[in-house]
Amino acid sequence: MAHDYDLVVIGGGPAGEKGAVQAAYFGKRVLLIEKEPEPGGAAVHTGTLPSKTLREAAIYLSGYRARELYGISVSVDREQSAPRLLSRKDRVRAEEVQRIRWNLERHGVEIRRGRARFVDAHTVEVLPFGGQVSAEKILIAVGSRPYRPSNIDFADRDIEDSDSVLELDHVPESLTVIGGGVIGCEYATIFAALGVDVVLVEPRDTLLPFLDAEMSERLQNAMLSMGIDLKLGASYERVSRCDSGISTTLAGGGAVVTEQLLFAAGRGGATADLGLEQAGLEVGKRGYLDVDQRYRTAVSHIYAAGDCIGFPALASTSMEQARVAICDAFELEYKQRVSPVLPYGIYTIPEVSCVGLTEAGAHEAGHSVVVGRAFFRDNARGKIVGDTEGVLKLVFDGSNRRLLGVHVLGDRASELVHIGQLLIKLEGGIDTLIDMVFNFPTLSETYKYAAYSALDGFN
């Protein structure tokens, strides 16, 4: 049976864009279906780029970096800050949408706006007026949406989720953040930098436990120094409106009252309206699709990539997953797997990034562990930019001198981590770092001194 397209991609976020372009590059007829007015998905419109742009704007408008460096105190105008924050976010978003459209069009990918719904395993209806299309292969890349528990009234003007918070009309005086995951920690520090009184409620006893324990503790101390009230080991029982704002009743007793509340405790796959049962597919917990190592679903010609398959739900990994899926779908030799050496970037204030094994993880894996550290306060560039809390931590194998893990907290952490990522990927180690010549003054130079600090631990 002849199909209308070789590939139909549902969703125009990072996974959808890269998957569509990958197939089109190799001469396939590709249709991308996107239900929103513009492509880009949550990464461009409600998540990755907007929140990171908001972070940079908040640091600039609040004079956060200048406070210790120059002794400058900046008062944030709560009414005027919100429009300035949002205008910068909207400009970045518009420029990225333009880039995505250009990329799709230059590769010959057809874009059709509408809501996709399966008719059968090879046929998709584009609602409301797009008709039906068939394809040899289908890639589901619909992303995720914020989890909204039924016992919280999100219709209240002062209760937000991680999408709606980006449309704030003013900077509140106080804010409760429920959820101490990546999103919750990022927004807690952004608002704290703007002078907001922030309370963070997290049922776990540790912030971001997937991080190296030392980095998690350092981030926690940095948040405390910003004035964030960390209520760890605390769960919310009820959220309700009261005379003075939004009241959050805690399970262990007591309550927190703030002007606004942000619920940031998880997301789920945006798969509910796809009619997956018509294609012979089922979803798992929170709407996520199960896939194999090649990103095939239970129906072999239907693939899924990105946030709709769950962890790690990063834009960076989503793009790679889609490329691998397309290469498998059309038997292309170009890309066969997603690299197992994955960096993580947490855009809190201060920034945190890591790749490879934690110190504890290296011990658990049976390595003879040697650790080296370098502090930004001892680095010339660190002194120039005024980063007194930054640190680079390197984890080595003492028997073969290889680098196992890199953990960075401080300015440009998510950029710095890639030096170590490359070294891990190439199975390099401490001798390479000591031999390298780094520009001076740079934060990158901390790699050499972290390596030097580890030397005494080697036999």
Side-chain angles (χ1 to χ4, degrees):
M1 174 184 173
H3 296 289
D4 301 320
Y5 297 93
D6 298 312
L7 173 70
V8 163
V9 178
I10 304 174
E17 177 203 352
K18 303 307 182 186
V21 167
Q22 181 81 92
Y25 178 83
F26 286 101
K28 306 303 178 182
R29 297 168 298 146
V30 182
L31 172 67
L32 186 147
I33 303 170
E34 172 54 59
K35 65 184 178 67
E36 299 298 335
E38 298 289 357
V44 173
H45 299 286
T46 60
T48 308
L49 291 188
S51 63
K52 279 52 175 178
T53 305
L54 194 68
R55 175 187 183 273
E56 292 301 315
I59 289 172
Y60 175 77
L61 288 174
S62 67
Y64 178 80
R65 288 196 178 113
R67 289 174 190 173
E68 289 190 15
L69 193 60
Y70 301 109
I72 296 173
S73 178
V74 178
S75 176
V76 175
D77 185 326
R78 299 187 184 281
E79 297 300 325
Q80 293 301 314
S81 289
R84 291 173 183 172
L85 291 166
L86 296 179
S87 66
R88 179 60 185 157
K89 169 184 71 78
D90 291 341
R91 179 179 298 180
V92 171
R93 178 170 58 186
E95 290 174 354
E96 182 63 6
V97 165
Q98 185 178 21
R99 182 205 61 78
I100 294 169
R101 282 198 170 276
W102 169 80
N103 193 31
L104 294 169
E105 290 168 2
R106 76 187 180 100
H107 283 94
V109 175
E110 183 182 337
I111 308 171
R112 191 175 303 186
R113 187 184 174 194
R115 186 165 51 84
R117 186 172 180 83
F118 281 95
V119 176
D120 58 45
H122 280 283
T123 308
V124 174
E125 184 177 11
V126 185
L127 301 170
F129 308 116
Q132 294 185 3
V133 294
S134 65
E136 177 190 352
K137 309 286 183 178
I138 297 174
L139 173 64
I140 301 172
V142 292
S144 63
R145 57 169 60 104
Y147 170 61
R148 284 187 161 194
S150 58
N151 63 346
I152 294 181
D153 180 16
F154 287 94
D156 191 299
R157 68 182 184 278
D158 290 322
I159 297 178
E160 311 287 354
D161 63 25
S162 56
D163 284 359
S164 64
V165 71
L166 288 162
E167 302 303 326
L168 76 170
D169 57 5
H170 73 287
V171 176
E173 290 190 7
S174 57
L175 175 73
T176 297
V177 178
I178 296 179
V182 171
I183 296 173
C185 287
E186 288 180 349
Y187 277 116
T189 58
I190 289 170
F191 281 98
L194 289 169
V196 177
D197 293 329
V198 177
V199 181
L200 179 65
V201 178
E202 166 55 44
R204 293 172 294 190
D205 293 326
T206 305
L207 286 177
L208 307 177
F210 63 89
L211 291 177
D212 183 90
E214 179 182 338
M215 292 299 166
S216 176
E217 184 178 356
R218 288 181 182 277
L219 176 61
Q220 181 174 324
N221 289 336
M223 293 172 72
L224 288 171
S225 71
M226 296 178 74
I228 297 173
D229 183 358
L230 295 177
K231 296 191 178 300
L232 302 180
S235 300
Y236 83 95
E237 189 173 83
R238 186 173 67 257
V239 171
S240 58
R241 175 164 283 284
C242 63
D243 291 341
S244 47
I246 304 298
S247 175
T248 303
T249 303
L250 303 179
V256 175
V257 178
T258 54
E259 181 183 341
Q260 291 189 357
L261 178 138
L262 167 61
F263 185 88
R267 297 176 70 89
T271 55
D273 301 322
L274 292 177
L276 294 172
E277 65 281 357
Q278 299 299 116
L281 291 173
E282 297 179 353
V283 293
K285 185 180 179 181
R286 285 203 181 182
Y288 293 128
L289 281 160
D290 291 328
V291 294
D292 64 15
Q293 291 183 335
R294 312 295 293 174
Y295 303 99
R296 291 175 296 197
T297 66
V299 179
S300 61
H301 68 273
I302 301 178
Y303 292 73
D307 286 13
C308 66
I309 66 172
F311 182 84
L314 303 168
S316 55
T317 53
S318 298
M319 298 174 194
E320 295 299 286
Q321 290 167 356
R323 290 177 174 124
V324 170
I326 296 307
C327 288
D328 184 80
F330 295 108
E331 299 181 350
L332 304 171
E333 297 299 321
Y334 174 65
K335 192 171 185 66
Q336 299 299 306
R337 65 166 191 165
V338 175
S339 171
V341 184
L342 297 176
Y344 293 84
I346 300 104
Y347 295 87
T348 44
I349 303 171
E351 200 168 300
V352 185
S353 194
C354 61
V355 66
L357 295 177
T358 64
E359 183 178 355
H363 281 293
E364 291 170 6
H367 294 281
S368 172
V369 177
V370 177
V371 171
R373 297 175 185 82
F375 297 91
F376 289 17
R377 64 175 179 262
D378 300 324
N379 171 272
R381 188 64 176 269
K383 290 183 173 71
I384 292 169
V385 300
D387 189 337
T388 59
E389 60 194 355
V391 59
L392 169 70
K393 177 178 180 178
L394 303 180
V395 180
F396 297 97
D397 187 315
S399 61
N400 60 23
R401 306 174 75 85
R402 285 182 180 170
L403 182 62
L404 301 174
V406 179
H407 308 276
V408 196
L409 179 144
D411 195 49
R412 302 295 181 241
S414 59
E415 302 283 353
L416 289 169
V417 77
H418 294 122
I419 297 172
Q421 178 189 5
L422 183 60
L423 199 59
I424 294 172
K425 179 76 173 172
L426 297 176
E427 299 184 344
I430 189 169
D431 299 301
T432 301
L433 291 173
I434 290 175
D435 188 54
M436 287 176 67
V437 177
F438 292 89
N439 280 330
F440 178 87
T442 62
L443 293 174
S444 299
E445 193 187 20
T446 53
Y447 272 94
K448 180 182 285 286
Y449 289 96
Y452 276 131
S453 79
L455 273 180
D456 289 342
F458 288 89
N459 297 325

